[in-house]
Amino acid sequence: MASNNVALWSSEQLAHFAAASLVAEARLTPKPGLVDRRTNGAHTDMDLGTFLASAAALEPLFAEYVSAGVRWGHAEDGEPAALADELRRIGVRAEHAMFTATDGVNTHKGANFMFALVLGAVGAVLGAGDADGASVGAGAPLFSPADTARTLELVSAMGACLLDRDVRALLTSVRTGGAQLTHGEAVYLEQGLKGARGEAARGYPLLTEALLPYFRLRADGREPNDDASELLLRALVKLMAQLEDTNVVHRGGMGALVEHRAYCRKLDVRELDEEQLIETLLAYDDELTRRNVSPGGAADLLSLGVFFGLLEGIFTLDALDYRRPWTFAG
């Protein structure tokens, strides 16, 4: 069963889905404080073109993540830590490709970490013969919700290995005075927020408990080819309302995160119509840009939800073209 799935869905096709998910997130407009087709948000060193170049540079390495997972899945009694180590080695090259394509700008470092684990786990599930989504027949979605759950269980196991190892290494480095901290590491030391590693170790709970259930529920009232822009904007609001986004904390402190989440919770429950939602997000985009706040963690998680939506047949690539007139040109 798995060998048929791998044959029908090549590593390159899965990598394309992942890269397309990054592009879909980048082009979604308007996104408060984030780069989109309207503005650069709170960023002065990047624009939409930077994000598109980054996604294109990462796509070949995304295929390597899948292939590594397939090899691990074919082996017997593989340890999640071993796959995580292999993915991390590929990830170093992927990050170099990203920085080369963007002239040193960090567009997708967090997303690269996230998709490394997820694509490796997708390959492992397929390679081990555990996926049942595509066994229904040609044209069926690759994954069922149960396949997604299996994938995220492996992601959680790998994430826990990396979190434990990286936190111990970070604390040792700080004690010896040799630490060169990333934004996420600095926030962890100052606030105790574990960021991307912590979310991975928990299997991305907002993805499994909020985002994907929301997508699946809304799938009953729409066709997979339908323009996904409104659905994705509403999903982004839900994520911003709940996520402990270390990007927000890095730029604005814990106070900014508290205010941001409270605003988004109120926006979510208002259930505005689409035109009112667009107008409200436009105004909030201007506000976050003025305050130099960018909820990049929520954006990364949204792209991951889009990826699983493609795997489960909730969306097609055509749905990510954003054809409605108020979804902006570009």
Side-chain angles (χ1 to χ4, degrees):
M1 178 172 61
S3 61
N4 290 336
N5 287 354
V6 174
L8 288 170
W9 296 81
S10 69
S11 298
E12 288 74 19
Q13 287 171 302
L14 292 165
H16 184 63
F17 272 9
S21 300
L22 293 180
V23 170
E25 181 280 313
R27 294 182 63 248
L28 183 66
T29 307
K31 298 193 304 292
L34 296 160
V35 171
D36 56 27
R37 286 175 287 170
R38 174 177 171 262
T39 74
N40 297 343
H43 300 273
T44 59
D45 58 347
M46 62 185 78
D47 57 20
L48 181 59
T50 318
F51 275 83
L52 301 185
S54 174
L58 287 170
E59 185 170 340
L61 283 303
F62 283 177
E64 292 192 34
Y65 293 144
V66 179
S67 297
V70 171
R71 291 192 298 272
W72 185 88
H74 283 158
E76 294 184 1
D77 300 323
E79 290 294 327
L83 178 56
D85 286 341
E86 175 64 17
L87 296 172
R88 173 165 276 181
R89 286 190 287 271
I90 299 169
V92 172
R93 292 190 288 111
E95 190 171 298
H96 177 74
M98 176 196 74
F99 281 126
T100 299
T102 64
D103 292 328
V105 176
N106 175 14
T107 46
H108 286 127
K109 186 171 182 176
N112 178 46
F113 172 82
M114 185 171 61
F115 273 106
L117 296 181
V118 166
L119 288 167
V122 167
V125 168
L126 293 174
D130 292 335
D132 52 36
S135 63
V136 177
L142 175 63
F143 264 25
S144 69
D147 297 328
T148 295
R150 291 188 193 96
T151 298
L152 292 172
E153 287 174 4
L154 178 54
V155 167
S156 178
M158 290 190 290
C161 294
L162 293 175
L163 178 63
D164 178 67
R165 185 185 308 167
D166 289 353
V167 167
R168 284 190 282 109
L170 174 62
L171 295 176
T172 299
S173 184
V174 169
R175 284 195 300 270
T176 59
Q180 294 290 328
L181 301 183
T182 67
H183 294 164
E185 288 168 343
V187 169
Y188 169 69
L189 291 174
E190 294 170 5
Q191 306 291 346
L193 302 181
K194 295 179 179 177
R197 294 174 181 87
E199 289 296 306
R202 297 167 62 202
Y204 296 108
L206 276 182
L207 179 73
T208 59
E209 297 168 13
L211 184 57
L212 289 178
Y214 177 67
F215 283 168
R216 293 163 186 155
L217 179 65
R218 292 290 299 270
D220 290 339
R222 62 183 298 278
E223 295 296 323
N225 285 327
D226 288 349
D227 188 303
S229 55
E230 179 190 357
L231 177 59
L232 296 181
L233 286 174
R234 294 188 187 279
L236 178 62
V237 171
K238 292 180 182 296
L239 292 176
M240 292 190 299
Q242 300 179 65
L243 183 66
E244 290 185 341
D245 197 324
T246 56
N247 290 269
V248 174
V249 177
H250 170 70
R251 284 172 168 264
M254 284 298 296
L257 178 62
V258 170
E259 293 175 6
H260 170 64
R261 292 170 70 183
Y263 178 88
C264 292
R265 282 195 296 270
K266 291 178 181 177
L267 177 57
D268 186 31
V269 300
R270 289 172 67 188
E271 297 184 345
L272 301 176
D273 65 34
E274 186 173 8
E275 189 169 357
Q276 291 174 318
L277 177 66
I278 295 289
E279 292 175 355
T280 303
L281 290 176
L282 286 170
Y284 193 44
D285 182 20
D286 292 341
E287 172 66 13
L288 289 193
T289 298
R290 183 185 65 79
R291 296 171 57 191
N292 195 36
V293 170
S294 179
D300 287 346
L301 194 55
L302 181 67
S303 67
L304 189 58
V306 171
F307 174 72
F308 279 108
L310 289 168
L311 293 189
E312 293 186 16
I314 297 171
F315 309 118
T316 66
L317 292 175
D318 286 344
L320 306 176
D321 282 345
Y322 308 145
R323 297 177 294 276
R324 294 185 181 182
W326 51 75
T327 53
F328 305 89

